[in-house]
Amino acid sequence: MTAPKKTTTRRKTAPAKPKPEPVKCPDCDGHGEITEAVKVGTRKGRLTDDHQTGLCLTCLGTGQAAD
């Protein structure tokens, strides 16, 4: 004698959850670079109209806030 056959049902899978959006770095606003004004002169350090860009030290250029 064989055992009665059980009916099988499909397993229901949960829908994929969207990943939360990473938080932007507060210093560079998510760009990864910051701009600094150029100073000229040793004593007075006069500001010029020029700017230079540099790597954001808070997020190290990723644009995402540290956890």
Side-chain angles (χ1 to χ4, degrees), residues 2-3 5 8-10 12 14 24 30-31 33-34 36-39 42 49 51-52 54 57-59 63-64 67:
T2 59
K5 194 172 191 181
T8 58
T9 58
R10 281 191 154 184
K12 294 182 181 179
K24 291 183 179 180
H31 297 288
E33 291 184 345
I34 56 172
E36 291 290 328
V38 177
K39 294 182 179 180
T42 56
D49 293 334
H51 295 283
Q52 71 183 52
L57 296 177
T58 305
C59 65
Q64 299 175 1
D67 292 333

Side-chain angles (χ1 to χ4, degrees), residues 16-44:
K17 295 179 183 178
K19 292 184 179 180
E21 192 171 317
V23 180
K24 291 183 179 180
C25 176
D27 293 341
C28 65
D29 293 327
H31 297 288
E33 291 184 345
I34 56 172
T35 58
E36 291 290 328
V38 177
K39 294 182 179 180
V40 178
T42 56
R43 291 187 180 175
K44 295 183 180 178

